[in-house]
Amino acid sequence: MTNAVQQKILVVDDEIDMRELLQDLLEDSGFSVTTVADGGAMRQTLDTAPYSLIILDLRLKGEDGMQLAREVREHSSIPIMMLTGKGDETDRILGLELAADDFLMKPFNNRELLARVRAMLRRTTQLSTPVIRKEDAYSHERLSFDGWVMDLTSRELTGVDGEPVSLTYGEYELLEMFVRSPNRVFSRDQLLDATRGFDSDVYDRTIDVLILRLRRKIEPNPKQPSYIRTERGVGYIFNASVMQC
């Protein structure tokens, strides 16, 4: 199980009542929580310590939460959950395509928020985890396809050029499901269940945009994908020969 005490969460919201609610809720569940009111404080806080998750309000006063998420994503794969208001479905889709890993609408159910947080953190490598010694690396579980190597123990993807490829939480979960079951057709509902890990009000487009982001990172030609193929009216299939290595 994930040790929640070791997980640090940064909350960015300009409403003091919301910051206090989230802090109380998350700390009561064993998480370490820091709250800030704006983007400037968020940047400063991220520069001082590693965090395992950011909960970010989409509509900050005088700031664009989407742009802040993009800034974070430029140099970090830390999971980002964005809080939105009603009627922001277009923003949710755009945000998932560009930066965020999950969205939750205000007002939210406390149990659902905790479920989503735990699902995002459950299999995320902690930034504070000690570096694994080289002699221990041989015990890692790895799968490979066409020169790509996916280390399922350290949750890392290495490209054909030997360079690491940064994946967000959602991208990694999706790719792991594909490489563990290649040449099998998955429906959107199956992929959503696997990447979320709990029942919630989610959208089919969530998977579509994650597929789009993943294709940009692993496909030779994202517009004509050879690995992640669409099965019209059914879902997606990962077309590759996968081997243990």
Side-chain angles (χ1 to χ4, degrees), residues 143-213:
L143 296 175
S144 66
F145 60 95
D146 294 345
W148 293 83
V149 177
M150 195 167 190
D151 190 321
L152 304 177
T153 305
S154 62
R155 293 176 59 84
E156 295 176 343
L157 177 68
T158 303
V160 294
D161 57 359
E163 294 296 319
V165 178
S166 177
L167 297 177
T168 66
Y169 168 85
E171 292 164 359
Y172 181 90
E173 292 294 300
L174 197 60
L175 183 58
E176 180 178 348
M177 185 173 184
F178 280 135
V179 299
R180 285 188 180 275
S181 301
N183 303 306
R184 172 185 171 185
V185 178
F186 289 101
S187 69
R188 287 179 175 81
D189 287 342
Q190 288 175 315
L191 295 173
L192 283 168
D193 288 343
T195 55
R196 297 300 182 194
F198 54 88
D199 294 329
S200 59
D201 182 20
V202 292
Y203 298 84
D204 283 352
R205 276 301 301 274
T206 301
I207 288 300
D208 293 339
V209 294
L210 285 177
I211 292 286
L212 177 62
R213 287 191 342 202

Side-chain angles (χ1 to χ4, degrees), residues 60-176:
L60 296 171
K61 292 178 181 177
E63 293 184 281
D64 183 354
M66 199 82 74
Q67 179 58 37
L68 293 178
R70 290 193 194 100
E71 289 181 17
V72 172
R73 189 59 69 231
E74 286 177 359
H75 58 79
S76 174
S77 59
I78 179 175
I80 300 174
M81 174 188 289
M82 299 201 77
L83 301 180
T84 71
K86 292 183 178 180
D88 288 335
E89 183 174 351
T90 300
D91 287 330
R92 284 196 292 273
I93 292 171
L94 180 60
L96 284 167
E97 182 175 342
L98 297 177
D101 295 277
D102 198 7
F103 278 82
L104 188 61
M105 185 180 296
K106 295 180 180 179
F108 49 79
N109 178 281
N110 290 351
R111 292 181 62 184
E112 181 179 5
L113 180 135
L114 289 173
R116 291 189 182 218
V117 166
R118 292 189 179 107
M120 294 177 72
L121 293 175
R122 184 174 59 248
R123 299 181 64 187
T124 300
T125 303
Q126 299 179 13
L127 296 177
S128 58
T129 300
V131 176
I132 298 175
R133 297 173 298 173
K134 289 184 178 179
E135 58 266 29
D136 294 333
Y138 294 103
S139 64
H140 286 204
E141 181 184 4
R142 294 186 181 88
L143 296 175
S144 66
F145 60 95
D146 294 345
W148 293 83
V149 177
M150 195 167 190
D151 190 321
L152 304 177
T153 305
S154 62
R155 293 176 59 84
E156 295 176 343
L157 177 68
T158 303
V160 294
D161 57 359
E163 294 296 319
V165 178
S166 177
L167 297 177
T168 66
Y169 168 85
E171 292 164 359
Y172 181 90
E173 292 294 300
L174 197 60
L175 183 58
E176 180 178 348

